Amino acid sequence: MKVRVFILARASKNNPKQLKYLLIVDGQTEAAYFKAIFQRFKISAKTIKRVPPSGGNAVSFGLSEVRTFETTDRRSYERYYIIIDRDNLTRSEYQQIQCEINQNEYTRLVFSNVAIEVWLLAYFKQMTSRPVQSSADNDINIRELSRYLGEEYQKGNSIQIDKIINSAEHPIDTANNNTSSIRELCFERQCTNVGVFLQELINGL
């Protein structure tokens, strides 16, 4: 599991908006997507820090790395968002992540099952709950994304990410409305709460 950390802090009135939130992001596609969204809302992502893959330790290991960064950089943050996909997590690893999230008051889990592509596909169509078992299930969403894009979808491709976002009437609301029935997190079924997170983030500006 690849994890990236976005660190954002408040800025002066004439500069891009900077949030005092920290995003720990799993994967290059998430990194490209949130960077594109932040640009649209003039939010500054000041630092991207990668930490090694950590599986079920995504919360504890990610926060440990963050504490080290905060100490070195003499910064502190109000809230932490752990943004991951199910990918190849086991049920016990997922439960461990949920448990550690619940034990950290200022930490939230943003989760897509099986992967972030379920959210990206929601820019084009209504998404519904269905059983999923492994990352192989995401192949269905990837094929559909390729069809909508008119070319082979590539993870982390920032040009394609922009194309996906630009295809919708609104950069967040369209996909959020199309995932309204799958916002509740579930290990066994297709789900994503990316839209809930983004609305909370943008409304807090």
Side-chain angles (χ1 to χ4, degrees), residues 114-193:
V114 170
I116 188 66
E117 281 74 26
V118 66
W119 169 256
L120 297 181
L121 190 54
Y123 277 90
F124 300 102
K125 59 176 285 188
Q126 187 79 31
M127 303 303 292
T128 58
S129 177
R130 65 179 178 86
V132 288
Q133 296 182 351
S134 71
S135 58
D137 289 285
N138 199 42
D139 291 344
I140 298 172
N141 292 340
I142 288 177
R143 286 196 296 270
E144 286 201 70
L145 278 172
S146 297
R147 179 168 60 84
Y148 282 115
L149 287 167
E151 61 185 0
E152 183 179 356
Y153 167 77
Q154 299 175 340
K155 282 180 170 289
N157 186 313
S158 59
I159 295 175
Q160 290 184 341
I161 295 293
D162 281 330
K163 186 175 180 179
I164 290 169
I165 297 172
N166 291 335
S167 71
E169 183 177 349
H170 187 275
I172 295 175
D173 289 351
T174 299
N176 190 40
N177 291 337
N178 283 338
T179 55
S180 60
S181 66
I182 61 169
R183 292 172 184 167
E184 184 175 352
L185 301 189
C186 179
F187 184 78
E188 295 84 9
R189 304 186 70 84
Q190 180 167 267
C191 66
T192 182
N193 64 341

Side-chain angles (χ1 to χ4, degrees), residues 80-139:
Y80 307 91
Y81 291 92
I82 310 294
I83 304 179
I84 62 173
D85 297 339
R86 173 179 164 180
D87 288 333
N88 296 313
L89 284 176
T90 65
R91 177 186 295 276
S92 62
E93 288 174 330
Y94 174 72
Q95 291 172 339
Q96 177 181 339
I97 289 169
Q98 285 280 21
C99 181
E100 292 183 2
I101 286 287
N102 292 335
Q103 292 173 352
N104 288 274
E105 181 179 359
Y106 301 106
T107 304
R108 297 278 301 278
L109 177 64
V110 181
F111 181 71
S112 295
N113 193 1
V114 170
I116 188 66
E117 281 74 26
V118 66
W119 169 256
L120 297 181
L121 190 54
Y123 277 90
F124 300 102
K125 59 176 285 188
Q126 187 79 31
M127 303 303 292
T128 58
S129 177
R130 65 179 178 86
V132 288
Q133 296 182 351
S134 71
S135 58
D137 289 285
N138 199 42
D139 291 344

Side-chain angles (χ1 to χ4, degrees), residues 59-87:
V59 179
S60 58
F61 183 76
L63 290 179
S64 175
E65 292 290 298
V66 165
R67 303 305 184 204
T68 301
F69 181 88
E70 287 179 323
T71 300
T72 302
D73 206 44
R74 297 183 179 179
R75 295 173 181 255
S76 62
Y77 302 90
E78 295 174 358
R79 185 166 297 175
Y80 307 91
Y81 291 92
I82 310 294
I83 304 179
I84 62 173
D85 297 339
R86 173 179 164 180
D87 288 333

Side-chain angles (χ1 to χ4, degrees), residues 34-52:
F34 286 109
K35 180 179 179 181
I37 286 292
F38 290 164
Q39 287 175 344
R40 280 164 172 74
F41 287 90
K42 293 182 170 55
I43 302 172
S44 175
K46 293 186 64 178
T47 303
I48 300 176
K49 175 181 171 60
R50 292 191 64 177
V51 298

